[in-house]
Amino acid sequence: MDTEMWSLLRVGDGGQDLVLTVDFGGARPEAGFVDLAARLPSGCTVLATRPPDRLIDDPVDAVRQVDAWRDAVLATGARISAVIGYCSGATVATRLAHDFTAHGHPVSLVLVDPAVATHELLLEAYHSSIESLVAVLDQPPASGDEVSGPVPGGAALVGLARRLGDSYVRTAGQVGRELDLDDDLVDDLAVRFQRYLSYLVVAALAELPTPVTALRLPVLTVVSATHPEDAFPAVGDRRVRFDVPRADLLADARAGRLLAEFITGRSATPAPVPGR
C-alpha cells in the first residue's frame, strides 16, 4: 500500500479485505475512525486517507488527489469491502465508491454525519483555528488580516485556501514569538492547518456521480442526534439516526455494530430511538 496516500488504522486477522475511511483525522475532541476501527469486521484491514502534504495549487490538483487515493488502493489488488466517509469526507467517499464499482469492485458505502464542504466551511475552520491559536495570550496579536470568502468556485476556493493558510502562518508566527515557542512547533501547527485546508478543498471539489440517486451500490447513512437532514444530498434509502452527540458517534457501540453488520451483509437494524 502507498503509505503517502493511506495510513493503517488496523490490520485484519487473516482476511485481505479492505475498509477505507475518508476523514482528516488527527487531534480533535470528536471521536474518529481510530475509535470505530476496532468495531468493524475483524477480517478487514482498515485504512484512512492521508491528506495532501501541501496546499492545493489549482482545482485540477484536487481531482488528481482523489484519483491518487483510488489508484493506490486499486494497485494493491485487494478486495474492497466498504468505503466510509465522515462529515465533508462524504463526497470523496461517494466518488471513490462509485469509481471502485466501475472498476469491478462491488463495495458498500457508509456516510457518517455527511456534509458538503463549502467556502463557508473553510472560513469557519479558519476563524475557529485562529481563535484557538490566540486564546492562550492575554492580548491577541493584531494581525490586520480580514479574510473573506469569494463567490464559490474551483479557482476561487483554491485562492481562498491559500489566503487563509498564509494568514494562519503569520498569526502562528506572532503567537510563537510572543510565547517564545520552538520554531518547529510553530511550523508543525502551520503545516497541519494548511493540510486541513487542502483536505477541505479536495472534498469541496470532488465531483459526486450524476445523478447521485443512480448509485448502484448498498448505501447506509448514519447521523448523530442533531445532524441536519439537508446537510448532504440523499444517497440510498437507508438512514439511521442515533440519539448521541456528534462528538461521540464514531465511538458509539451501537453505531459500530450497525456498520459492522452492514459491511458484512447482515442488515440488522437497531431498535428505533424514541422521538427520532
Side-chain angles (χ1 to χ4, degrees):
M1 171 57 65
D2 187 338
T3 56
E4 292 184 3
M5 293 292 109
W6 295 88
S7 60
L8 179 66
L9 296 185
R10 193 201 68 190
V11 177
D13 59 0
Q16 298 299 315
D17 290 8
L18 300 179
V19 171
L20 308 175
T21 64
V22 183
D23 185 23
F24 181 72
R28 66 180 184 198
E30 294 92 353
F33 281 121
V34 67
D35 302 288
L36 175 68
R39 303 185 187 279
L40 296 178
S42 60
C44 293
T45 291
V46 184
L47 303 176
T49 47
R50 283 191 178 275
D53 59 3
R54 57 179 175 79
L55 278 172
I56 294 294
D57 291 327
D58 59 58
V60 174
D61 273 352
V63 176
R64 287 173 177 163
Q65 179 65 46
V66 178
D67 291 346
W69 280 327
R70 177 200 65 204
D71 293 345
V73 174
L74 290 175
T76 67
R79 181 179 181 273
I80 309 161
S81 289
V83 185
I84 312 175
Y86 179 72
C87 192
S88 57
T91 305
V92 174
T94 303
R95 181 79 240 178
L96 288 174
H98 171 271
D99 287 359
F100 289 138
T101 300
H103 281 80
H105 292 266
V107 303
S108 297
L109 173 64
V110 180
L111 304 178
V112 182
D113 270 1
V116 176
T118 62
H119 74 298
E120 290 89 356
L121 182 58
L122 266 72
L123 288 168
E124 179 184 329
Y126 167 76
H127 288 300
S128 63
S129 297
I130 289 291
E131 289 171 5
S132 298
L133 190 63
V134 303
V136 295
L137 301 180
D138 294 328
Q139 182 65 41
S143 67
D145 291 319
E146 293 295 334
V147 184
S148 59
V151 175
L157 197 71
V158 171
L160 173 61
R162 185 160 296 282
R163 298 205 310 278
L164 295 176
D166 290 345
S167 177
Y168 185 91
V169 169
R170 288 191 292 272
T171 304
Q174 290 175 290
V175 172
R177 289 189 292 274
E178 182 75 17
L179 298 179
D180 195 26
L181 297 177
D182 186 271
D183 288 345
D184 288 342
L185 175 59
V186 175
D187 289 344
D188 286 346
L189 289 172
V191 168
R192 175 172 173 76
F193 183 67
Q194 289 175 323
R195 295 182 77 194
Y196 183 47
L197 287 174
S198 285
Y199 172 79
L200 292 178
V201 168
V202 170
L205 298 183
E207 295 184 357
L208 285 170
T210 304
V212 70
T213 53
L215 278 172
R216 297 183 179 279
L217 47 85
V219 184
L220 169 68
T221 299
V222 175
V223 295
S224 56
T226 60
H227 188 72
E229 294 285 340
D230 60 353
F232 194 80
V235 182
D237 58 3
R238 189 167 183 210
R239 184 182 183 94
V240 178
R241 184 177 294 276
F242 286 92
D243 193 14
V244 297
R246 172 187 176 87
D248 301 330
L249 184 57
L250 285 175
D252 185 82
R254 295 170 303 159
R257 184 166 57 250
L258 174 62
L259 264 65
E261 291 168 345
F262 177 76
I263 290 170
T264 56
R266 299 191 305 272
S267 301
T269 305
V273 179
R276 295 291 168 189

